[in-house]
Amino acid sequence: MNIQLYDQREQALRDKLKAALRTIDPAMYATCRLMESELGNLSRVFCSYPSILDNQHFGDEIHSVDTLIERLFRDGCDHTVLLPTKVMVGRTFTVAKFNFFGFLRKVCARYGALAEYEEEIQALWEHLLFSLLIEDVYQVIIERNGFYSPELRREAALELIHLWEYRFDQTVTEYAPAVVELWRARLQIAPVFGTMMGTMELMRLSSLLSERWYHFLDELGENREVQQSLEEFVFGIVHEEVCLVRETMERRGITTVNRESLQEMLSQEVPLEPIQGDDPREMYRFYHRRSRRILRRRIAGNEGPQRTLEEILLVFLVQHRLASRKTRS
């Protein structure tokens, strides 16, 4: 197997940027070349390991996709020493490439002559971060033993294994693009809060999404957990904070809030900046903040969503695909 550092679009953009940077700032150009060299080394290491899709024989022991899925079901996905080395090298490679494109974005912002490339670099930078984050969503589904059917968990495991194997091929998985689209749309909106109903935020979010999103809302929009997870997602604060703000509004007899009054109500717990802007790492932090709060709710038995919006959406898509397969057969 051979993994390309760049796809066609990335390669064309990188060539134009490097040619311009070589003239504008030779020292920065040298740094760029060094980072690319290190990225290439990681690529070669990744490619040196056998495919995790192939059967591997170690004496009497056979490693296959099925045995890997069994291991994921038994041990989970977040145990470094229990996963194939290729998986960990591939993730490191993705992080390195993400950091490289983050460097290129800073270079574009620094020099006016490169400003025309900034938007395209931004989109590629976001996609790399979201390709890491989608793996985390799949892992949560796989590890929910007893919550989802073995069939659904296996489908999620197969998707995750193909993501691990192919890394940057955006056509490998059927379901991931819908969740990536959701994250990208969320970065483009800032919550207005107002009455804390979320109507304006939902309308703005939905206007940026495809038909799959409308099918999701049509089928599950009345579900309480979906509503609570959606509130967290559009407001940028967790369920407990949403409830506290609404209780405070009722107690004070006020009908609307803005970001400043919200921060006062939450004693500065809400981030000073909204989950919106040009840094996709904010979405990464926000997803994991909600995930940690879900774990605390489950342990304490507290009220509130038991899944993130991303997990619910991904499960919805996988279930529909499985049902479609059964209908065709």
Side-chain angles (χ1 to χ4, degrees), residues 16-38:
K16 288 185 286 188
L17 266 175
K18 283 188 68 176
L21 188 59
R22 187 171 188 173
T23 302
I24 296 170
D25 189 335
M28 197 71 77
Y29 172 77
T31 300
C32 180
R33 288 196 61 186
L34 177 61
M35 293 180 73
E36 278 196 309
S37 174
E38 293 167 346

